[in-house]
Amino acid sequence: QVQLVESGGGLVQAGGSLRLSCAASGSIFSRNSLGWYRQAPGKQRTLVAEIVGGGSTNYADSVKGRFIISRDNAKNTLYLQMNSLKPEDTAVYYCNVVPSFEYWGKGTLVIVSS
């Protein structure tokens, strides 16, 4: 009934790019706002990118200008294009609604090497 499946993470060099995907259930995609969160080791999980139903986007200052969030409603898929990656972007990335549910997927690990 509730499905959140993140994919696309990996190990990349600083300055590189990755595109993350999130396959979500229709019930989740029906919500107005969707977002990408990340959690670095020993840190709180934080929202880094948000997209609302009308297409407006919001980004944390740490990723603004480098990350692009988008959605494909027909495929119930959320994307995060990450460019100019930095070592401080290293984290497990999760998708969820905004504000988030208690339920989380397994996330996808992004490691950016120096």
Side-chain angles (χ1 to χ4, degrees):
Q1 192 169 351
V2 176
Q3 293 286 333
L4 292 167
V5 182
E6 301 92 344
S7 62
L11 174 63
V12 298
Q13 197 172 29
S17 298
L18 283 174
R19 190 179 78 159
L20 307 184
S21 298
C22 169
S25 67
S27 62
I28 291 173
F29 246 77
S30 70
R31 307 295 279 260
N32 188 55
S33 296
L34 304 173
W36 284 96
Y37 301 74
R38 71 184 183 189
Q39 186 171 31
K43 303 293 184 181
Q44 286 279 117
R45 181 154 38 201
T46 60
L47 178 68
V48 297
E50 175 189 15
I51 184 166
V52 301
S56 297
T57 57
N58 297 296
Y59 300 93
D61 289 341
S62 57
V63 308
K64 191 173 183 179
R66 300 187 296 118
F67 290 10
I68 302 170
I69 186 172
S70 61
R71 61 196 292 174
D72 186 334
N73 293 331
K75 295 182 177 180
N76 288 352
T77 303
L78 182 71
Y79 302 99
L80 184 67
Q81 178 66 46
M82 306 186 297
N83 301 313
S84 301
L85 284 162
K86 304 175 180 179
E88 48 263 47
D89 295 319
T90 295
V92 178
Y93 285 74
Y94 304 86
C95 59
N96 215 314
V97 296
V98 182
S100 63
F101 288 123
E102 285 292 327
Y103 174 84
W104 297 89
K106 64 184 292 291
T108 186
L109 177 63
V110 173
I111 299 176
V112 184
S113 62
S114 301

XYZ file of all heavy atoms in Angstrom:
859
model
N 0.818 -1.203 0.000
C 0.000 0.000 0.000
C 0.855 1.258 0.000
O 0.518 2.232 -0.677
C -0.940 -0.006 1.200
C -2.017 1.054 1.140
C -3.089 0.847 2.191
O -3.127 -0.185 2.861
N -3.966 1.817 2.324
N 1.914 1.246 0.779
C 2.872 2.341 0.803
C 4.193 1.826 0.249
O 4.779 0.899 0.810
C 3.062 2.897 2.217
C 4.141 3.979 2.220
C 1.755 3.456 2.739
N 4.627 2.428 -0.838
C 5.865 2.022 -1.478
C 6.740 3.239 -1.739
O 6.283 4.222 -2.318
C 5.593 1.306 -2.801
C 4.906 -0.035 -2.659
C 5.846 -1.107 -2.139
O 7.060 -1.036 -2.345
N 5.285 -2.094 -1.474
N 7.975 3.164 -1.307
C 8.983 4.176 -1.572
C 10.272 3.437 -1.887
O 10.884 2.856 -0.992
C 9.184 5.105 -0.372
C 8.033 6.037 0.001
C 8.275 6.650 1.370
C 7.889 7.131 -1.047
N 10.662 3.461 -3.136
C 11.835 2.720 -3.571
C 12.789 3.675 -4.266
O 12.543 4.096 -5.401
C 11.464 1.556 -4.500
C 12.714 0.777 -4.896
C 10.452 0.640 -3.837
N 13.864 4.006 -3.581
C 14.869 4.908 -4.113
C 15.957 4.123 -4.844
O 16.306 3.013 -4.432
C 15.510 5.734 -2.989
C 14.530 6.594 -2.195
C 13.980 5.906 -0.963
O 14.095 4.657 -0.850
O 13.431 6.613 -0.091
N 16.497 4.718 -5.882
C 17.569 4.086 -6.634
C 18.422 5.159 -7.298
O 18.041 6.319 -7.363
C 17.018 3.121 -7.682
O 16.226 3.802 -8.640
N 19.567 4.750 -7.798
C 20.422 5.639 -8.551
C 21.661 6.120 -7.830
O 22.508 6.783 -8.439
N 21.777 5.803 -6.556
C 22.946 6.229 -5.817
C 24.183 5.468 -6.239
O 24.127 4.511 -7.009
N 25.303 5.912 -5.725
C 26.556 5.268 -6.048
C 27.729 6.082 -5.576
O 27.578 7.059 -4.844
N 28.895 5.664 -5.996
C 30.139 6.345 -5.662
C 30.576 7.185 -6.847
O 30.734 6.665 -7.958
C 31.218 5.313 -5.311
C 32.626 5.840 -5.066
C 32.646 6.771 -3.863
C 33.579 4.679 -4.863
N 30.747 8.468 -6.616
C 31.160 9.380 -7.676
C 32.263 10.290 -7.173
O 32.430 10.502 -5.971
C 29.989 10.232 -8.211
C 28.910 9.351 -8.827
C 29.402 11.088 -7.102
N 32.991 10.845 -8.108
C 34.042 11.793 -7.795
C 33.458 13.190 -7.642
O 32.445 13.525 -8.259
C 35.093 11.774 -8.899
C 36.416 12.399 -8.517
C 37.475 12.164 -9.585
O 37.166 12.035 -10.767
N 38.726 12.126 -9.172
N 34.072 13.995 -6.804
C 33.637 15.377 -6.658
C 33.573 16.054 -8.027
O 34.465 15.889 -8.857
C 34.583 16.134 -5.734
N 32.497 16.803 -8.227
C 32.269 17.446 -9.508
C 31.406 16.641 -10.454
O 30.944 17.178 -11.469
N 31.164 15.394 -10.123
C 30.363 14.533 -10.965
C 28.876 14.716 -10.749
O 28.438 15.561 -9.970
N 28.099 13.885 -11.438
C 26.646 13.976 -11.395
C 26.018 12.616 -11.179
O 26.581 11.583 -11.544
C 26.104 14.566 -12.704
O 26.570 15.880 -12.922
N 24.840 12.625 -10.596
C 24.013 11.439 -10.437
C 22.561 11.844 -10.583
O 22.195 12.981 -10.285
C 24.202 10.793 -9.065
C 25.444 9.958 -8.790
C 25.462 9.559 -7.315
C 25.471 8.727 -9.679
N 21.732 10.917 -11.037
C 20.300 11.116 -11.035
C 19.643 10.043 -10.186
O 19.750 8.851 -10.478
C 19.702 11.087 -12.447
C 18.238 11.550 -12.452
C 17.615 11.551 -13.829
N 17.239 10.213 -14.263
C 16.340 9.958 -15.212
N 15.744 10.960 -15.846
N 16.084 8.705 -15.551
N 18.966 10.471 -9.153
C 18.247 9.569 -8.277
C 16.802 9.444 -8.731
O 16.206 10.397 -9.238
C 18.283 10.066 -6.832
C 19.654 10.385 -6.238
C 19.502 10.774 -4.775
C 20.599 9.207 -6.401
N 16.243 8.266 -8.541
C 14.851 8.019 -8.864
C 14.131 7.476 -7.647
O 14.725 6.794 -6.817
C 14.720 7.014 -10.012
O 15.315 7.501 -11.194
N 12.862 7.768 -7.554
C 12.026 7.278 -6.475
C 10.718 6.781 -7.067
O 9.941 7.573 -7.605
C 11.761 8.386 -5.457
S 10.488 7.990 -4.227
N 10.501 5.486 -6.971
C 9.236 4.896 -7.378
C 8.321 4.883 -6.165
O 8.647 4.277 -5.142
C 9.448 3.490 -7.920
N 7.199 5.542 -6.273
C 6.295 5.700 -5.147
C 4.896 5.228 -5.509
O 4.517 5.157 -6.677
C 6.256 7.161 -4.694
N 4.135 4.908 -4.498
C 2.757 4.501 -4.713
C 1.923 5.689 -5.161
O 2.269 6.844 -4.910
C 2.175 3.888 -3.444
O 2.047 4.872 -2.430
N 0.807 5.386 -5.822
C -0.065 6.444 -6.283
C -0.619 7.287 -5.157
O -0.817 8.490 -5.310
N -0.870 6.657 -4.018
C -1.404 7.396 -2.883
C -0.413 8.444 -2.400
O -0.805 9.515 -1.939
C -1.775 6.441 -1.751
O -0.637 5.743 -1.278
N 0.869 8.131 -2.490
C 1.896 9.092 -2.109
C 1.998 10.196 -3.153
O 2.091 11.378 -2.818
C 3.247 8.387 -1.910
C 3.193 7.504 -0.669
C 4.380 9.401 -1.818
C 4.413 6.639 -0.468
N 1.948 9.811 -4.409
C 2.074 10.790 -5.475
C 0.882 11.720 -5.575
O 0.986 12.786 -6.185
C 2.320 10.098 -6.809
C 3.667 10.379 -7.375
C 4.786 9.738 -6.878
C 3.825 11.305 -8.388
C 6.045 10.010 -7.384
C 5.073 11.585 -8.911
C 6.190 10.937 -8.405
N -0.229 11.332 -4.989
C -1.389 12.206 -4.997
C -1.225 13.397 -4.065
O -1.991 14.355 -4.155
C -2.644 11.416 -4.613
O -2.609 11.045 -3.244
N -0.263 13.339 -3.185
C -0.019 14.437 -2.254
C 0.556 15.638 -2.981
O 1.183 15.517 -4.029
C 0.923 13.995 -1.130
C 0.463 12.736 -0.407
C -0.835 12.983 0.332
N -0.590 13.648 1.608
C -0.556 13.012 2.764
N -0.759 11.704 2.826
N -0.334 13.690 3.871
N 0.342 16.803 -2.420
C 0.727 18.028 -3.098
C 2.231 18.205 -3.224
O 2.727 18.587 -4.280
C 0.135 19.236 -2.379
C 0.346 20.522 -3.134
O -0.030 20.634 -4.305
N 0.928 21.515 -2.474
N 2.940 17.935 -2.154
C 4.375 18.191 -2.135
C 5.167 16.908 -1.933
O 4.860 16.110 -1.055
C 4.729 19.186 -1.028
O 4.124 20.447 -1.273
N 6.179 16.744 -2.741
C 7.103 15.633 -2.634
C 8.501 16.179 -2.435
O 8.806 17.297 -2.847
C 7.064 14.756 -3.886
C 5.704 14.190 -4.282
C 5.801 13.487 -5.626
C 5.206 13.227 -3.215
N 9.352 15.385 -1.814
C 10.682 15.888 -1.558
C 11.732 14.808 -1.449
O 11.431 13.624 -1.297
N 12.958 15.265 -1.547
C 14.116 14.439 -1.288
C 14.745 14.882 0.018
O 14.950 16.079 0.248
C 15.142 14.548 -2.415
C 14.762 13.786 -3.650
C 14.133 14.263 -4.754
C 15.006 12.395 -3.886
N 13.960 13.266 -5.674
C 14.486 12.103 -5.166
C 15.606 11.368 -3.150
C 14.554 10.824 -5.722
C 15.665 10.101 -3.704
C 15.148 9.847 -4.973
N 15.033 13.911 0.848
C 15.700 14.122 2.120
C 17.040 13.408 2.085
O 17.253 12.480 1.311
C 14.877 13.554 3.272
C 13.479 14.131 3.428
C 12.458 13.781 2.552
C 13.180 14.999 4.476
C 11.179 14.286 2.708
C 11.902 15.504 4.642
C 10.907 15.148 3.757
O 9.636 15.642 3.921
N 17.933 13.819 2.953
C 19.185 13.088 3.073
C 19.626 13.047 4.524
O 19.286 13.911 5.326
C 20.277 13.690 2.194
C 20.820 15.041 2.644
C 21.819 15.561 1.617
N 22.420 16.816 2.024
C 23.188 17.560 1.245
N 23.457 17.168 -0.004
N 23.704 18.695 1.691
N 20.378 12.019 4.834
C 20.905 11.842 6.170
C 22.358 11.413 6.078
O 22.663 10.329 5.580
C 20.092 10.808 6.952
C 20.503 10.680 8.400
C 19.543 9.826 9.199
O 18.927 8.903 8.668
N 19.406 10.134 10.476
N 23.224 12.269 6.551
C 24.642 11.960 6.621
C 24.927 11.248 7.933
O 24.152 11.360 8.893
C 25.466 13.239 6.506
N 26.034 10.521 8.001
C 26.361 9.807 9.242
C 26.386 10.733 10.450
O 27.028 11.787 10.424
C 27.746 9.233 8.952
C 27.785 9.084 7.464
C 27.019 10.263 6.944
N 25.678 10.342 11.501
C 25.650 11.113 12.727
C 24.842 12.390 12.657
O 24.893 13.195 13.595
N 24.097 12.595 11.582
C 23.336 13.820 11.400
C 21.843 13.538 11.318
O 21.415 12.414 11.081
C 23.780 14.549 10.129
C 25.249 14.892 10.064
C 25.621 15.933 11.099
C 27.080 16.343 10.941
N 27.468 17.350 11.962
N 21.058 14.585 11.518
C 19.620 14.495 11.351
C 19.258 14.389 9.874
O 19.971 14.905 9.013
C 18.939 15.727 11.945
C 18.894 15.785 13.456
C 17.777 14.941 14.019
O 18.015 13.982 14.738
N 16.542 15.278 13.681
N 18.153 13.729 9.600
C 17.636 13.696 8.240
C 17.019 15.057 7.928
O 16.221 15.580 8.700
C 16.605 12.582 8.100
C 16.020 12.451 6.710
C 15.516 11.049 6.413
N 14.883 10.405 7.532
C 14.733 9.093 7.658
N 15.188 8.279 6.711
N 14.141 8.593 8.724
N 17.395 15.635 6.795
C 16.940 16.967 6.431
C 16.389 16.983 5.015
O 16.821 16.220 4.149
C 18.067 18.002 6.544
O 19.141 17.631 5.669
C 18.596 18.093 7.966
N 15.455 17.874 4.785
C 14.881 18.071 3.464
C 15.820 18.915 2.627
O 16.224 20.002 3.052
C 13.518 18.747 3.591
C 12.769 19.078 2.298
C 12.332 17.809 1.589
C 11.563 19.960 2.607
N 16.150 18.444 1.430
C 17.048 19.200 0.570
C 16.366 19.732 -0.680
O 16.843 20.708 -1.272
C 18.298 18.390 0.174
C 19.114 18.049 1.416
C 17.924 17.125 -0.592
N 15.271 19.118 -1.101
C 14.587 19.567 -2.305
C 13.116 19.214 -2.223
O 12.760 18.134 -1.765
C 15.202 18.952 -3.557
N 12.271 20.116 -2.674
C 10.824 19.936 -2.611
C 10.200 20.378 -3.916
O 10.624 21.369 -4.508
C 10.246 20.757 -1.454
C 8.732 20.743 -1.351
C 8.208 21.732 -0.323
O 8.970 22.622 0.099
O 7.025 21.610 0.068
N 9.186 19.654 -4.363
C 8.414 20.061 -5.524
C 6.941 19.963 -5.180
O 6.470 18.958 -4.664
C 8.762 19.227 -6.782
C 8.005 19.759 -8.000
C 8.497 17.746 -6.561
C 8.541 19.217 -9.316
N 6.205 21.031 -5.445
C 4.781 21.075 -5.138
C 3.990 20.710 -6.388
O 4.530 20.591 -7.486
C 4.373 22.456 -4.598
C 5.158 22.784 -3.349
C 4.579 23.537 -5.653
N 2.681 20.543 -6.203
C 1.841 20.110 -7.301
C 1.876 21.019 -8.507
O 1.810 20.551 -9.651
N 1.985 22.308 -8.278
C 2.026 23.258 -9.367
C 3.361 23.349 -10.069
O 3.489 24.076 -11.051
N 4.352 22.638 -9.566
C 5.654 22.616 -10.194
C 6.701 23.488 -9.544
O 7.876 23.406 -9.916
N 6.301 24.312 -8.602
C 7.279 25.134 -7.910
C 8.228 24.261 -7.106
O 7.845 23.213 -6.591
C 6.589 26.134 -6.984
O 5.785 27.026 -7.726
N 9.455 24.707 -6.996
C 10.473 23.948 -6.286
C 11.140 24.791 -5.218
O 11.194 26.020 -5.317
C 11.542 23.413 -7.249
O 12.126 24.508 -7.970
C 10.931 22.440 -8.244
N 11.629 24.109 -4.212
C 12.385 24.742 -3.146
C 13.591 23.879 -2.835
O 13.500 22.651 -2.854
C 11.530 24.910 -1.888
C 10.347 25.818 -2.101
O 10.504 27.000 -2.372
N 9.143 25.266 -1.984
N 14.695 24.521 -2.546
C 15.936 23.815 -2.280
C 16.601 24.362 -1.038
O 16.548 25.559 -0.752
C 16.907 23.945 -3.457
C 16.385 23.394 -4.751
C 15.731 24.214 -5.660
C 16.538 22.048 -5.068
C 15.242 23.712 -6.854
C 16.051 21.536 -6.256
C 15.403 22.374 -7.149
O 14.924 21.867 -8.328
N 17.241 23.466 -0.315
C 18.092 23.906 0.769
C 19.263 24.690 0.198
O 19.714 24.440 -0.926
C 18.596 22.710 1.568
N 19.748 25.643 0.968
C 20.861 26.459 0.500
C 22.073 25.621 0.110
O 22.828 25.982 -0.796
C 21.263 27.477 1.566
C 20.236 28.580 1.736
O 19.411 28.784 0.832
O 20.266 29.247 2.790
N 22.246 24.504 0.778
C 23.408 23.671 0.537
C 23.425 23.028 -0.851
O 24.486 22.636 -1.333
C 23.510 22.575 1.604
O 22.332 21.792 1.628
N 22.253 22.924 -1.497
C 22.179 22.265 -2.795
C 21.640 23.168 -3.890
O 21.659 22.781 -5.070
C 21.322 20.982 -2.733
C 21.797 20.069 -1.616
C 19.844 21.323 -2.557
N 21.184 24.342 -3.549
C 20.590 25.251 -4.523
C 21.579 25.572 -5.635
O 22.737 25.880 -5.382
C 20.121 26.522 -3.835
C 19.261 27.421 -4.716
C 18.694 28.593 -3.921
C 17.781 29.449 -4.770
N 17.202 30.576 -3.997
N 21.095 25.493 -6.866
C 21.932 25.750 -8.019
C 22.640 24.526 -8.542
O 23.209 24.564 -9.640
N 22.624 23.444 -7.777
C 23.291 22.212 -8.183
C 22.326 21.049 -8.383
O 22.563 20.195 -9.233
C 24.345 21.810 -7.151
C 25.438 22.860 -6.955
C 26.548 22.334 -6.046
N 26.056 22.059 -4.696
C 26.066 20.855 -4.128
N 26.547 19.806 -4.784
N 25.607 20.695 -2.895
N 21.254 21.001 -7.605
C 20.287 19.912 -7.669
C 19.005 20.382 -8.334
O 18.596 21.538 -8.184
C 19.942 19.403 -6.264
C 21.047 18.665 -5.563
C 22.340 18.641 -6.049
C 20.766 17.983 -4.387
C 23.346 17.958 -5.388
C 21.762 17.296 -3.713
C 23.054 17.285 -4.208
N 18.349 19.480 -9.049
C 17.069 19.760 -9.685
C 16.107 18.628 -9.367
O 16.374 17.469 -9.678
C 17.205 19.916 -11.209
C 18.197 21.025 -11.566
C 15.838 20.207 -11.831
C 18.558 21.076 -13.039
N 14.979 18.968 -8.772
C 13.954 17.983 -8.469
C 12.868 18.047 -9.541
O 12.512 19.128 -10.015
C 13.367 18.204 -7.053
C 12.399 17.075 -6.682
C 12.697 19.567 -6.943
C 11.947 17.126 -5.226
N 12.362 16.887 -9.925
C 11.292 16.823 -10.911
C 10.419 15.612 -10.624
O 10.787 14.744 -9.835
C 11.848 16.769 -12.335
O 12.649 15.619 -12.528
N 9.265 15.565 -11.277
C 8.352 14.448 -11.058
C 7.682 14.049 -12.360
O 7.426 14.873 -13.233
C 7.298 14.811 -9.998
C 6.423 16.004 -10.374
C 5.676 16.563 -9.176
N 4.657 15.655 -8.676
C 3.955 15.860 -7.567
N 4.187 16.936 -6.827
N 3.036 14.987 -7.189
N 7.390 12.769 -12.482
C 6.644 12.225 -13.597
C 5.411 11.564 -12.998
O 5.473 10.441 -12.505
C 7.478 11.221 -14.385
C 6.779 10.737 -15.643
O 5.539 10.748 -15.700
O 7.488 10.337 -16.588
N 4.306 12.272 -13.033
C 3.104 11.778 -12.377
C 2.554 10.516 -13.035
O 1.997 9.658 -12.356
C 2.031 12.869 -12.365
C 2.402 14.040 -11.482
O 3.120 13.888 -10.494
N 1.901 15.216 -11.825
N 2.709 10.400 -14.350
C 2.212 9.225 -15.050
C 2.937 7.965 -14.607
O 2.363 6.873 -14.629
C 2.342 9.410 -16.559
N 4.185 8.109 -14.225
C 4.990 6.967 -13.794
C 5.147 6.874 -12.288
O 5.851 5.989 -11.793
C 6.370 7.023 -14.449
C 6.345 6.876 -15.956
C 7.753 6.892 -16.531
C 7.736 6.677 -18.032
N 9.104 6.692 -18.613
N 4.504 7.777 -11.571
C 4.640 7.818 -10.104
C 6.115 7.798 -9.693
O 6.521 7.037 -8.810
C 3.891 6.653 -9.458
C 2.390 6.816 -9.516
O 1.867 7.860 -9.897
N 1.673 5.764 -9.133
N 6.886 8.631 -10.341
C 8.319 8.653 -10.112
C 8.804 10.061 -9.827
O 8.417 11.011 -10.512
C 9.075 8.071 -11.315
O 8.603 6.743 -11.576
C 10.569 8.018 -11.038
N 9.642 10.171 -8.831
C 10.281 11.417 -8.441
C 11.764 11.317 -8.761
O 12.375 10.267 -8.561
C 10.070 11.661 -6.948
C 10.621 12.946 -6.345
C 9.815 14.144 -6.806
C 10.607 12.843 -4.818
N 12.335 12.408 -9.241
C 13.734 12.413 -9.628
C 14.495 13.501 -8.898
O 13.938 14.527 -8.506
C 13.888 12.646 -11.133
C 13.196 11.637 -11.997
C 11.953 11.907 -12.547
C 13.787 10.411 -12.276
C 11.304 10.990 -13.352
C 13.154 9.484 -13.080
C 11.916 9.778 -13.615
O 11.283 8.854 -14.418
N 15.780 13.270 -8.746
C 16.681 14.295 -8.251
C 17.948 14.252 -9.090
O 18.732 13.301 -8.990
C 17.022 14.092 -6.774
C 17.886 15.185 -6.154
C 17.115 16.504 -6.084
C 18.371 14.783 -4.762
N 18.120 15.257 -9.924
C 19.340 15.398 -10.690
C 20.343 16.154 -9.839
O 20.080 17.281 -9.426
C 19.079 16.151 -11.996
C 20.314 16.386 -12.844
C 20.902 15.100 -13.384
O 20.179 14.257 -13.896
N 22.215 14.947 -13.265
N 21.475 15.539 -9.579
C 22.496 16.123 -8.733
C 23.735 16.394 -9.574
O 24.318 15.471 -10.140
C 22.838 15.198 -7.565
C 21.625 14.785 -6.745
S 22.087 13.836 -5.270
C 22.825 12.401 -6.045
N 24.108 17.649 -9.643
C 25.267 18.064 -10.408
C 26.300 18.705 -9.487
O 25.988 19.126 -8.379
C 24.869 19.061 -11.497
C 23.853 18.515 -12.461
O 23.991 17.397 -12.951
N 22.822 19.311 -12.763
N 27.513 18.789 -9.983
C 28.603 19.420 -9.233
C 28.665 18.901 -7.808
O 28.735 19.663 -6.843
C 28.435 20.945 -9.244
O 28.421 21.444 -10.565
N 28.660 17.606 -7.684
C 28.611 16.980 -6.366
C 29.854 17.287 -5.548
O 30.963 17.380 -6.079
C 28.421 15.475 -6.503
C 26.993 15.060 -6.868
C 26.967 13.642 -7.409
C 26.084 15.182 -5.649
N 29.628 17.441 -4.260
C 30.683 17.740 -3.311
C 30.757 16.635 -2.269
O 29.765 15.956 -2.015
C 30.406 19.076 -2.604
C 30.223 20.256 -3.533
C 29.830 21.493 -2.746
C 29.643 22.689 -3.651
N 29.242 23.907 -2.883
N 31.909 16.457 -1.629
C 32.002 15.436 -0.581
C 30.949 15.606 0.514
O 30.479 14.604 1.061
C 33.418 15.633 -0.034
C 34.188 16.143 -1.205
C 33.228 17.049 -1.936
N 30.567 16.829 0.816
C 29.564 17.056 1.841
C 28.159 16.621 1.428
O 27.240 16.634 2.242
C 29.543 18.529 2.286
C 29.510 19.512 1.135
C 30.884 20.058 0.781
O 31.839 19.263 0.657
O 31.014 21.290 0.628
N 27.979 16.237 0.162
C 26.716 15.670 -0.285
C 26.593 14.191 0.069
O 25.531 13.598 -0.140
C 26.547 15.839 -1.792
C 26.445 17.291 -2.218
O 25.774 18.073 -1.516
O 27.031 17.638 -3.263
N 27.647 13.606 0.562
C 27.628 12.195 0.932
C 26.563 11.945 1.991
O 26.562 12.561 3.053
C 28.999 11.758 1.451
O 29.960 11.849 0.390
C 28.960 10.322 1.954
N 25.644 11.038 1.686
C 24.524 10.765 2.577
C 23.676 9.661 1.979
O 23.849 9.283 0.816
C 23.667 12.020 2.781
N 22.744 9.161 2.774
C 21.679 8.323 2.259
C 20.527 9.235 1.881
O 20.095 10.062 2.687
C 21.225 7.269 3.284
C 20.070 6.451 2.728
C 22.391 6.366 3.659
N 20.039 9.094 0.667
C 18.974 9.947 0.155
C 17.650 9.200 0.153
O 17.577 8.051 -0.274
C 19.309 10.432 -1.255
C 20.367 11.514 -1.259
C 21.696 11.208 -1.011
C 20.024 12.846 -1.498
C 22.664 12.200 -0.986
C 20.991 13.840 -1.488
C 22.310 13.509 -1.230
O 23.267 14.498 -1.216
N 16.609 9.873 0.618
C 15.282 9.303 0.731
C 14.259 10.198 0.044
O 14.399 11.417 0.035
C 14.857 9.184 2.196
C 15.790 8.403 3.084
C 16.877 9.017 3.688
C 15.555 7.062 3.344
C 17.726 8.315 4.527
C 16.399 6.350 4.181
C 17.474 6.980 4.766
O 18.310 6.283 5.598
N 13.220 9.593 -0.482
C 12.095 10.367 -0.966
C 10.931 10.215 -0.007
O 10.815 9.226 0.716
C 11.683 9.928 -2.379
S 11.215 8.186 -2.546
N 10.068 11.207 0.009
C 8.893 11.171 0.852
C 8.018 12.366 0.511
O 8.400 13.224 -0.279
C 9.271 11.193 2.342
C 8.335 10.372 3.203
O 7.113 10.457 3.070
N 8.891 9.559 4.102
N 6.856 12.403 1.113
C 6.017 13.579 0.992
C 6.563 14.667 1.909
O 7.443 14.426 2.734
C 4.551 13.267 1.332
C 3.961 12.281 0.334
C 4.435 12.723 2.756
N 6.049 15.876 1.730
C 6.418 16.994 2.580
C 5.145 17.565 3.182
O 4.279 18.026 2.436
C 7.166 18.084 1.789
C 7.576 19.223 2.725
C 8.382 17.502 1.078
N 5.003 17.528 4.488
C 5.890 16.926 5.483
C 5.894 15.408 5.396
O 4.981 14.817 4.823
C 5.314 17.424 6.812
C 3.873 17.664 6.532
C 3.813 18.158 5.122
N 6.908 14.803 5.925
C 7.143 13.388 5.717
C 6.223 12.488 6.538
O 5.732 12.877 7.596
C 8.594 13.046 6.043
O 8.876 13.297 7.415
N 5.995 11.292 6.015
C 5.369 10.221 6.771
C 6.377 9.614 7.728
O 7.587 9.794 7.585
C 4.870 9.118 5.837
C 3.663 9.463 5.026
C 3.701 9.376 3.643
C 2.480 9.843 5.631
C 2.588 9.669 2.880
C 1.360 10.150 4.879
C 1.417 10.059 3.501
N 5.871 8.858 8.682
C 6.746 8.093 9.564
C 7.447 6.976 8.801
O 8.545 6.560 9.160
C 5.963 7.513 10.744
C 5.593 8.525 11.811
C 6.796 9.043 12.566
O 7.771 8.285 12.757
O 6.775 10.220 12.964
N 6.802 6.483 7.758
C 7.381 5.417 6.964
C 8.431 5.954 6.002
O 8.206 6.951 5.310
C 6.294 4.682 6.171
C 6.840 3.652 5.223
C 7.145 2.373 5.664
C 7.072 3.967 3.883
C 7.654 1.429 4.797
C 7.587 3.025 3.014
C 7.879 1.757 3.471
O 8.388 0.819 2.612
N 9.566 5.271 5.953
C 10.646 5.608 5.038
C 11.082 4.374 4.276
O 11.050 3.269 4.803
C 11.850 6.173 5.791
C 11.572 7.458 6.506
C 11.098 7.606 7.777
C 11.740 8.780 5.986
N 10.964 8.941 8.088
C 11.354 9.678 7.002
C 12.182 9.287 4.761
C 11.399 11.063 6.829
C 12.224 10.656 4.591
C 11.838 11.532 5.619
N 11.503 4.581 3.043
C 12.111 3.508 2.296
C 13.520 3.257 2.788
O 13.970 3.834 3.786
N 14.227 2.397 2.099
C 15.591 2.086 2.496
C 16.584 3.168 2.095
O 17.699 3.214 2.623
C 16.032 0.744 1.901
C 16.094 0.733 0.383
C 16.433 -0.655 -0.137
C 17.858 -1.040 0.220
N 18.861 -0.232 -0.516
N 16.202 4.018 1.193
C 17.085 5.072 0.731
C 18.107 4.552 -0.268
O 18.215 3.362 -0.527
N 18.865 5.471 -0.822
C 19.946 5.113 -1.731
C 21.185 5.905 -1.336
O 21.117 7.111 -1.100
C 19.543 5.354 -3.205
O 20.564 4.868 -4.074
C 19.276 6.827 -3.491
N 22.292 5.223 -1.238
C 23.520 5.815 -0.721
C 24.278 6.540 -1.819
O 24.523 5.987 -2.900
C 24.401 4.734 -0.101
C 25.766 5.166 0.422
C 25.615 6.169 1.561
C 26.558 3.944 0.880
N 24.656 7.765 -1.524
C 25.497 8.563 -2.404
C 26.789 8.866 -1.669
O 26.771 9.422 -0.572
C 24.805 9.873 -2.813
C 25.766 10.777 -3.582
C 23.570 9.581 -3.644
N 27.899 8.493 -2.274
C 29.212 8.783 -1.709
C 29.991 9.597 -2.734
O 30.160 9.164 -3.873
C 29.982 7.501 -1.357
C 29.215 6.688 -0.313
C 31.380 7.841 -0.857
C 29.859 5.360 0.022
N 30.446 10.751 -2.315
C 31.206 11.632 -3.185
C 32.630 11.695 -2.657
O 32.866 12.146 -1.533
C 30.599 13.037 -3.256
C 31.364 13.892 -4.260
C 29.125 12.960 -3.627
N 33.560 11.251 -3.452
C 34.953 11.222 -3.049
C 35.652 12.519 -3.416
O 35.276 13.210 -4.368
C 35.672 10.044 -3.709
O 35.671 10.168 -5.122
N 36.692 12.839 -2.649
C 37.465 14.052 -2.894
C 38.413 13.855 -4.056
O 38.860 12.748 -4.355
C 38.253 14.448 -1.653
O 37.399 14.672 -0.562
